[in-house]
């Protein structure tokens, strides 16, 4: 079982980062390692990265995907530590309904980290990788298409649909490679855990006509 076919989606350009590129550091609130973008059906064309949620200087939330190749070793360690932080959130999966039910712990300094925006300035020199990186305000998201792992699809994926009518490249969660899975700190699919976090900053509803589509109604006020 493998990743599956590559879907046709738009590739964001580097101007996606202009909102945050004027500051040196942002607050990293959520991180998940080993989330891949597939440039083609060839396994050698898979790009490993981190999907994350950051809080910018305007106190607004952004969802981002950053290739590992663009991160310094220091920031890569911070991304992993936020992923592993046990105080970040508590989640339970009700097997009878397959619905996530969560309670988020209020925190100030724990469960988050300041990371540099150095990767943004490096992006132009590694265009083959950076062309797939993005950083979008959560208010730009209209829906997520979720495809959890199944008997015929080993890795689950999600697609972000934006208000301007475009869709970002599918992101594939290689949970068996992620730091939190390898250390036995997570039991649920990474896409579900991302939705747990997003539900605390966005009003999200499951589409009635498509159980795999989650519609983003509005953003909530920052903590």
């Amino acid at each position: 079982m493998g990743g599956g076919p590559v879907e046709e989606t738009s590739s964001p350009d580097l101007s996606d980062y202009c909102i945050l590129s004027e500051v040196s550091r942002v607050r990293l609130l959520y991180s998940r390692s080993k989330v891949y973008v597939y440039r083609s059906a060839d396994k050698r064309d898979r790009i490993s990265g981190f999907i994350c949620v950051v809080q910018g200087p305007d106190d607004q939330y952004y969802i981002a995907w950053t290739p590992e190749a663009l991160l310094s070793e220091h920031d890569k360690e911070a991304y992993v530590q936020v992923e592993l932080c046990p105080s970040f959130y508590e989640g339970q999966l009700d097997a009878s309904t397959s619905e996530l039910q969560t309670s988020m712990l209020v925190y100030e300094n724990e469960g988050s980290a300041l990371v540099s925006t150095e990767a943004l300035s490096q992006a132009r020199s590694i265009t083959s990788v950076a062309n797939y990186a993005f950083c979008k305000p959560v208010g730009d998201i209209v829906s997520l298409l979720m495809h959890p792992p199944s008997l015929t699809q080993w890795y689950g994926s999600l697609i972000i649909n934006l208000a301007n009518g475009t869709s970002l490249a599918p992101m594939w969660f290689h949970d068996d490679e992620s730091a939190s899975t390898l250390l036995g700190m997570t039991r649920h699919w990474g896409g579900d855990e991302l939705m747990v976090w997003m539900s605390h900053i966005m009003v999200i509803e499951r589409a009635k006509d498509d159980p795999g589509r989650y519609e983003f109604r509005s953003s909530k006020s920052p903590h």
Side-chain angles (χ1 to χ4, degrees):
M1 291 181 284
V6 177
E7 303 180 40
E8 291 294 330
T9 53
S10 64
S11 296
D13 60 38
L14 299 177
S15 63
D16 288 339
Y17 282 109
C18 65
I19 298 172
L20 300 180
S21 60
E22 295 179 358
V23 297
S24 60
R25 302 185 76 79
V26 292
R27 186 168 295 280
L28 178 66
L29 303 175
Y30 168 84
S31 174
R32 181 79 177 193
S33 60
K34 299 303 177 181
V35 178
Y36 285 76
V37 166
Y38 296 174
R39 291 182 289 184
S40 75
D42 191 330
K43 290 183 178 180
R44 293 172 295 183
D45 279 341
R46 297 177 178 180
I47 308 172
S48 177
F50 290 85
I51 191 168
C52 60
V53 177
V54 301
Q55 190 172 23
D58 52 2
D59 287 332
Q60 295 301 310
Y61 298 107
Y62 300 81
I63 187 169
W65 181 81
T66 305
E68 291 180 12
L70 299 187
L71 294 173
S72 68
E73 287 302 315
H74 177 272
D75 279 346
K76 189 180 297 183
E77 181 179 350
Y79 276 68
V80 171
Q81 288 303 314
V82 169
E83 177 180 357
L84 299 180
C85 181
S87 64
F88 184 66
Y89 62 78
E90 296 175 343
Q92 293 182 333
L93 184 63
D94 186 336
S96 64
T97 62
S98 295
E99 294 288 345
L100 281 169
Q101 306 197 344
T102 66
S103 61
M104 190 169 189
L105 304 180
V106 177
Y107 60 89
E108 290 293 335
N109 296 318
E110 294 186 0
S112 65
L114 290 175
V115 293
S116 74
T117 57
E118 182 180 358
L120 312 185
S121 61
Q122 292 178 344
R124 295 182 183 278
S125 63
I126 319 177
T127 54
S128 63
V129 172
N131 283 343
Y132 294 88
F134 66 84
C135 182
K136 296 289 186 181
V138 295
D140 285 358
I141 303 172
V142 294
S143 65
L144 289 181
L145 292 177
M146 307 281 284
H147 301 285
S150 65
L151 293 176
T152 58
Q153 193 71 61
W154 182 259
Y155 295 122
S157 67
L158 67 80
I159 296 174
I160 297 176
N161 298 317
L162 301 174
N164 64 6
T166 63
S167 299
L168 301 181
M171 289 171 286
W172 298 86
F173 289 76
H174 286 217
D175 285 351
D176 55 347
E177 302 173 23
S178 70
S180 53
T181 299
L182 292 176
L183 292 178
M185 300 182 68
T186 184
R187 297 174 297 166
H188 310 309
W189 177 50
D192 281 336
E193 293 190 347
L194 174 62
M195 284 294 292
V196 166
W197 208 98
M198 296 295 290
S199 68
H200 289 87
I201 61 176
M202 297 288 291
V203 177
I204 304 174
E205 297 178 0
R206 176 175 276 180
K208 295 180 180 179
D209 60 339
D210 183 355
R213 189 173 82 249
Y214 291 83
E215 298 175 345
F216 285 45
R217 298 302 186 187
S218 61
S219 59
K220 299 178 181 179
S221 299
H223 294 303

